[in-house]
Amino acid sequence: MNARLGAGRSDVYQKFINGHHVIRRSDRFWAGLSSDLIIEQVLMGSLKSTGGLTRGTGMGEEERFVWLLGMPACTEIRAAMQHLTDNAKVVGMKILQTIAEKKLADISLKKSDQAVILAVKTAVTVREESVVIDPNLFFQRLVGPDILLDDNTLLFESKDTFLSNPNNKQRFIDKLSKALTENGFHTAHASGDADCLIVQTSLKRARESQSTAKAVKKAGEKALVQLLGGEGKDTLDSLRHVKYMQKLSSHSGTMAVQPQKLPPTSAAAKFHSTRVYLQVQEWKHLRETLSLTAWGWELKDNTLFPTYTTKAVAPDDLLCIIKCNCKADCSTDRCSCRRHGRVCSAAYGECRGECCMNSIVNMEKESFENASDNESDC
């Protein structure tokens, strides 16, 4: 056969004579193997080892196609890892040189003479500073494949593996930004930490936009509904009713539901939202001075007071049955009648609307005395 090879393919015959009939994976002297052994060790080994075609996935056409297309990527990963761990080879050769021609009893290995693997390396020094690293995340970023995204791309990798590759992350950000822009949303890209850009963009957009009180009230109520566990279709009033019924069903019959533990009403929340908006505008100097009375405040006797609500605290038919049981003069807000803006009458508590400061008689008397004092001053 060799004679026929020399007669027909002299170039191949010459290479065969020069020792090119074996395949080498390293430069060691006895490392040459015949092609059939290399196929058995490499190709068949990859087929039969964990992750190979014969390990659980079957030998269908699709599995063979995916496996074959993945081989170049695996080769690049293997080469990159070997390049990364070249230090291990250097350390190993140094150890071999130190123990050459020594008896086993005379060999002494130092702890420093060993390669540091990723599993035990939790920090690296960068520009004289120690930086903590996650070995698993670091490995994922080394082996994370590049994936070209389009509208029909199906991803089979985990989220961590996909985003560990900076190119994949940037493609995802670009695609997401494009989709948001096409739907009317403003986007901005940060070259580094995005926190500073988020604040700067928010302030810039706030200066450019002139929100109306109506828009602020609507946005404020929507935000409060989300914070209090409501759904998108809920209002504060409907959510308040739902929460009240839930608390009522969980309480015993003798325990009253505390109003302060319920969501605020829509009428109260809108004034709170406008006051918050006004305060932010004043702090950040985003807009010129706004009218305080148009943004949740009211002026009484040259003094500003917050507007709490435009609705009564309760229906009139409920307020009419409120009565105090004060034993003092009802001069403070501890009196439930005074606290709810009601006047004590003869049917109420200990005072019976006569010997207290919240009765009609005393209020008329106080008004008369004030009028007399004003006339005397004139």
Side-chain angles (χ1 to χ4, degrees), residues 51-217:
L53 290 179
T54 61
R55 283 297 186 95
T57 57
M59 290 285 286
E61 182 67 26
E62 182 178 356
E63 285 77 13
R64 289 196 296 270
F65 178 72
V66 172
W67 184 79
L68 289 173
L69 290 181
M71 288 300 293
C74 294
T75 303
E76 293 179 2
I77 294 171
R78 187 182 298 109
M81 291 300 299
Q82 288 178 351
H83 177 72
L84 179 69
T85 57
D86 277 345
N87 183 56
K89 181 179 179 180
V90 173
V91 173
M93 294 301 298
K94 181 180 177 181
I95 294 174
L96 290 176
Q97 292 175 1
T98 59
I99 66 176
E101 299 181 357
K102 286 186 178 181
K103 296 181 180 180
L104 183 61
D106 298 333
I107 296 176
S108 177
L109 299 178
K110 298 180 180 179
K111 188 176 181 180
S112 58
D113 293 336
Q114 60 179 350
V116 180
I117 61 176
L118 289 176
V120 299
K121 190 70 172 178
T122 59
V124 295
T125 301
V126 179
R127 297 176 183 176
E128 299 182 355
E129 293 183 4
S130 180
V131 180
V132 178
I133 61 172
D134 183 351
N136 293 329
L137 180 60
F138 184 54
F139 179 76
Q140 288 177 358
R141 291 187 174 180
L142 286 173
V143 303
D146 280 346
I147 298 177
L148 298 178
L149 287 176
D150 57 35
D151 294 337
N152 299 319
T153 301
L154 296 178
L155 297 179
F156 299 98
E157 292 79 9
S158 65
K159 181 184 69 175
D160 293 337
T161 302
F162 175 79
L163 294 180
S164 65
N165 188 317
N167 295 331
N168 294 341
K169 183 183 292 186
Q170 188 60 50
R171 292 190 188 100
F172 176 74
I173 292 174
D174 293 340
K175 189 167 184 62
L176 180 62
S177 175
K178 181 180 178 181
L180 291 172
T181 303
E182 291 175 351
N183 286 273
F185 294 94
H186 175 76
T187 62
H189 293 254
S191 57
D193 189 359
D195 292 341
C196 182
L197 181 61
I198 290 173
V199 175
Q200 292 176 348
T201 305
S202 300
L203 293 176
K204 180 181 178 182
R205 298 285 292 179
R207 292 189 182 97
E208 294 174 352
S209 62
Q210 300 292 331
S211 300
T212 63
K214 183 178 180 181
V216 171
K217 293 174 183 178

Side-chain angles (χ1 to χ4, degrees), residues 346-365:
Y348 295 174
E350 298 287 337
C351 65
R352 297 186 180 279
E354 297 176 355
C355 59
C356 72
M357 302 302 296
N358 193 44
S359 64
I360 296 178
V361 176
N362 283 323
M363 293 179 69
E364 290 178 349
K365 181 180 179 181

Side-chain angles (χ1 to χ4, degrees), residues 219-240:
E221 179 168 357
K222 185 177 180 180
L224 286 173
V225 167
Q226 293 295 323
L227 287 174
L228 295 171
E231 299 179 355
K233 61 182 180 180
D234 290 333
T235 64
L236 281 174
D237 290 337
S238 64
L239 183 62
R240 182 180 175 90

Side-chain angles (χ1 to χ4, degrees), residues 265 309-316 319:
T265 62
T309 184
T310 54
K311 292 184 178 182
V313 293
D316 291 337
L319 290 175

